[in-house]
Amino acid sequence: QVQLVESGGGLVQAGGSLRLSCAASGRTFGTYAMSWFRQAPGKEREFVAAIVIGAGSTKYADSVKGRFTISRDNAKNTVFLQMNSLKPEDTAVYYCAAGGKPFLLRTLRNYDYWGQGTQVTVSS
């Protein structure tokens, strides 16, 4: 089992920044990737960003490319999502996920473990 705990959400004005953290514990050895997804009210959960734990390669949704940066601290089993130039449409609950498969990082069902989510609200 892997436990994931997100933190760092909050309320910010448009154009502002937030940094989310996801601390992983438990049987994390062998995890292929860590990712962030988000879900806005009335919408499906969508992929935001992913990082491959071993290689460090990253992937982003087009909607956040150039504004968000995913990174990791392997020693602390923690993944971060730096969010800059935030827009009201970024408002959602952000979830951290562990698992993933090569070439299928955007697919929700490939992730075995999920955090409880953290609310991000961007006011206009």
Side-chain angles (χ1 to χ4, degrees):
Q1 291 285 336
V2 175
Q3 295 78 42
L4 303 173
V5 179
E6 302 103 332
S7 60
L11 173 64
V12 64
Q13 289 188 332
S17 299
L18 282 174
R19 189 192 194 206
L20 305 183
S21 299
C22 174
S25 61
R27 302 182 67 176
T28 59
F29 181 79
T31 297
Y32 176 73
M34 296 282 289
S35 297
W36 290 93
F37 290 78
R38 66 186 182 187
Q39 188 166 17
K43 294 188 176 181
E44 294 185 351
R45 193 170 298 189
E46 64 175 4
F47 171 79
V48 176
I51 187 164
V52 177
I53 299 302
S57 53
T58 58
K59 186 174 288 292
Y60 296 92
D62 288 344
S63 59
V64 306
K65 202 172 293 183
R67 299 187 298 123
F68 291 10
T69 302
I70 189 170
S71 61
R72 75 201 193 288
D73 183 335
N74 285 347
K76 296 182 179 180
N77 283 339
T78 301
V79 173
F80 306 97
L81 185 67
Q82 178 67 43
M83 305 185 295
N84 299 328
S85 302
L86 283 161
K87 305 175 181 180
E89 50 264 44
D90 294 318
T91 295
V93 177
Y94 283 70
Y95 296 91
C96 177
K101 294 182 179 180
F103 309 111
L104 297 172
L105 293 173
R106 302 172 186 267
T107 307
L108 275 74
R109 65 176 180 272
N110 290 328
Y111 290 85
D112 301 311
Y113 303 101
W114 294 82
Q116 81 288 353
T118 185
Q119 177 70 47
V120 171
T121 303
V122 184
S123 62
S124 57

